Amino acid sequence: MEELYQSALRKFRKAAVIMNLDPNVQKILEHPKRQLIVEFPVMMDDNSVEIFTGYRVQHNVTLGPAKGGVRYHPNVNLDEVKTLAFWMSFKCAVMGLPYGGGKGGIRLDPKKYSQKEIERISRRYFSEISVIVGPDRDIPAPDVNTNSDTMSWYMDTYSMNVGYSVLEVVTGKPIGLGGSEGRTEATGRGVAKVTELAIQKRKRKVSDVKIAIEGFGNVGQYSALILSKEKDAKIVALSDSKGGIYNSSGFNIEDVINYKKTHGTLSGYPNSEAINDVELKTLDVDVFIPAALENSITDETAKKMKAQIIVEGANGPITDTADELLRGKDILVVPDILANAGGVTVSYFEWVQDLQSFFWKKEQVNATLEEMIEKSFNEIWDIKEQYSTDMRTAAYILATQRIAFGIKKRGIYP
Ligand code: GLU
């Protein structure tokens, strides 16, 4: 029933043991604060009514309002949303953001609905979860299959209900409507930065390594683009949900993005070899970036992987047993709660800009993001050395120290 949540807890408990965490704090962090399930009717284009199931979970709000995206996917369920909310608490704390963790989702296949239907589903979902969200309570954002259009509808729905415009109720909005420069590519920018830092730790140069990326959504596309254009990296393999492509001399990512826009798939991209999922993950590359969904790297794949560095662009892409196998092979895994934290970090900048009604230049957003990511990377690295552990456990130790400080100072109410 709770497979994903239990596996996330196992990774957290490893850190709890090493850092000698107060068992009372551990108990609190193992349970989400609020879990909301909503079932709601929406009128379809053909005048029939369909019922949808949506979720919003707030895992912990010790350090500030809950923060995290909303995903639209046919496999969304409470276990997944709860786990994603759990990860958000630690992700925000790793970055030192004044937020707790939250996550939402609607169980549906967005490809099966028209844009107008998706708009009505989005608006009704947001209205339903409005009982617990708000700019100082819980601030949603984009995730899998949601984007700045979805955020505009959410913001408008909330604003219509309260009677005035509340830009800061969601982040990831369009620029010109309370959105921040650099937010769309922020997760990819963070992934690119930690990839560069990890490569340096392994005493290599970014321009000398070969990289494969799984997933070509927002995270995969911008990670590939920034790594190849700004960091001079060679991206030799890419994939989307329909299959993978390989070219040993590296891809021109802008061209691949245009191809995907026109053809809706990567398959058939000129001058590339078609590869399947196992081939992609076990290629002879230096860096592998999973940027699709959870549990993508299993024991079987982990055993065959050749990459020396794995950067988790997705949330929870490695099962807990595969994680141990990779550690045994001395593969450096940059954990999700640091690697993909660029998105929520620029979401934080967006929220701050909305609250102040004063907007930053792109250079300021990008420079502040890279500086913060590098600081957290180094803090995690120091803890990793101090405790002779892996980067994931070190990241959990850092985040847990910060949340535990808040829990202890605030005390248990009443
Ligand atoms: N959905 C993104 C994540 O998993 C971003 C969340 C946000 O910006 O609040 O980190």
Side-chain angles (χ1 to χ4, degrees), residues 67-69 88 91 103 139 141-143 171 183 315 340 343-344 347:
K67 186 84 192 82
M88 285 308 301
K91 193 186 296 185
K103 200 80 175 199
I139 307 128
D143 197 75
T171 57
R183 175 61 186 86
N315 291 309
N340 68 38
V344 71
S347 274

Side-chain angles (χ1 to χ4, degrees), residues 56 66-71 84 87-88 91-92 97 99 102-103 139-144 146 171-172 183 187 219 313-315 336 340-348 350:
R56 185 74 192 172
K67 186 84 192 82
V70 179
R71 68 171 54 178
L84 289 159
W87 285 327
M88 285 308 301
K91 193 186 296 185
C92 292
L97 308 179
Y99 287 141
K103 200 80 175 199
I139 307 128
D143 197 75
V144 174
T146 54
T171 57
R183 175 61 186 86
T187 310
V219 183
N315 291 309
D336 47 6
N340 68 38
V344 71
T345 303
V346 178
S347 274
Y348 165 60
E350 180 175 329

Side-chain angles (χ1 to χ4, degrees), residues 391-404:
M391 270 192 96
R392 185 187 317 282
T393 307
Y396 273 104
I397 293 175
L398 177 67
T400 305
Q401 282 168 348
R402 289 177 176 161
I403 306 172

Side-chain angles (χ1 to χ4, degrees), residues 86-386:
F86 173 88
W87 285 327
M88 285 308 301
S89 294
F90 295 92
K91 193 186 296 185
C92 292
V94 152
M95 292 305 297
L97 308 179
Y99 287 141
K103 200 80 175 199
I106 308 179
R107 188 174 174 89
L108 89 171
D109 182 354
K111 291 188 199 91
K112 292 195 179 144
Y113 300 93
S114 71
Q115 181 77 349
K116 279 284 155 204
E117 287 170 337
I118 292 287
E119 177 175 344
R120 288 195 293 276
I121 296 165
S122 300
R123 286 181 178 278
R124 180 64 189 250
Y125 164 76
F126 208 74
S127 222
E128 294 290 339
I129 66 161
S130 287
V131 292
I132 60 166
V133 303
D136 42 16
R137 304 165 80 189
D138 182 355
I139 307 128
D143 197 75
V144 174
N145 292 327
T146 54
N147 54 32
S148 61
D149 288 338
T150 328
M151 297 308 120
S152 302
W153 300 325
Y154 285 173
M155 189 273 280
D156 183 69
T157 301
Y158 188 87
S159 299
M160 286 296 131
N161 280 309
V162 295
Y164 55 93
S165 294
V166 186
L167 299 179
E168 61 275 20
V169 67
V170 289
T171 57
K173 299 178 297 296
I175 291 167
L177 191 62
S180 176
E181 292 285 349
R183 175 61 186 86
T184 308
E185 58 273 35
T187 310
R189 181 166 298 283
V191 168
K193 184 70 193 172
V194 295
T195 303
E196 184 182 29
L197 294 168
I199 292 169
Q200 285 164 1
K201 288 286 180 198
R202 286 278 161 114
K203 311 256 180 296
R204 303 277 306 274
K205 272 175 43 200
V206 186
S207 52
D208 291 345
V209 302
K210 284 192 255 163
I211 303 179
I213 303 180
E214 179 205 16
F216 211 59
N218 171 283
V219 183
Q221 287 187 28
Y222 284 107
S223 303
L225 192 64
I226 295 167
L227 276 164
S228 64
K229 272 194 84 173
E230 294 181 28
K231 317 261 183 210
D232 201 21
K234 201 191 271 183
I235 318 292
V236 297
L238 293 163
S239 79
D240 62 15
S241 55
K242 295 181 195 99
I245 54 173
Y246 175 75
N247 181 330
S248 59
S249 0
F251 288 108
N252 174 333
I253 302 300
E254 270 164 331
D255 199 53
V256 182
I257 292 176
N258 284 334
Y259 183 91
K260 167 97 183 172
K261 264 192 202 126
T262 33
H263 295 81
T265 171
L266 295 176
S267 312
Y269 182 75
N271 301 321
S272 73
E273 202 182 300
I275 49 169
N276 65 30
D277 187 57
V278 182
E279 286 165 336
L280 173 87
K281 289 171 184 159
T282 55
L283 277 174
D284 190 9
V285 291
D286 306 282
V287 180
F288 182 71
I289 304 179
L293 293 167
E294 302 91 66
N295 291 341
S296 148
I297 301 176
T298 55
D299 290 10
E300 219 181 305
T301 350
K303 277 182 206 148
K304 293 190 228 144
M305 283 186 91
K306 297 184 194 77
Q308 280 308 298
I309 297 171
I310 298 178
V311 179
E312 295 187 323
N315 291 309
I318 307 177
T319 67
D320 50 342
T321 46
D323 209 27
E324 289 302 323
L325 278 165
L326 295 169
R327 194 176 172 210
K329 287 173 74 173
D330 196 30
I331 293 176
L332 178 59
V333 175
V334 186
D336 47 6
I337 56 171
L338 169 70
N340 68 38
V344 71
T345 303
V346 178
S347 274
Y348 165 60
F349 301 162
E350 180 175 329
W351 182 71
V352 168
Q353 292 170 76
D354 289 340
L355 287 169
Q356 300 182 335
S357 295
F358 183 78
F359 291 86
W360 305 0
K361 290 199 184 101
K362 192 176 208 146
E363 295 72 31
Q364 186 185 351
V365 170
N366 291 349
T368 316
L369 168 63
E370 294 208 11
E371 195 184 297
M372 285 173 71
I373 289 265
E374 183 161 3
K375 181 169 178 276
S376 295
F377 185 101
N378 290 333
E379 284 169 332
I380 291 168
W381 197 268
D382 289 346
I383 295 176
K384 167 186 166 331
E385 301 288 288
Q386 185 191 338

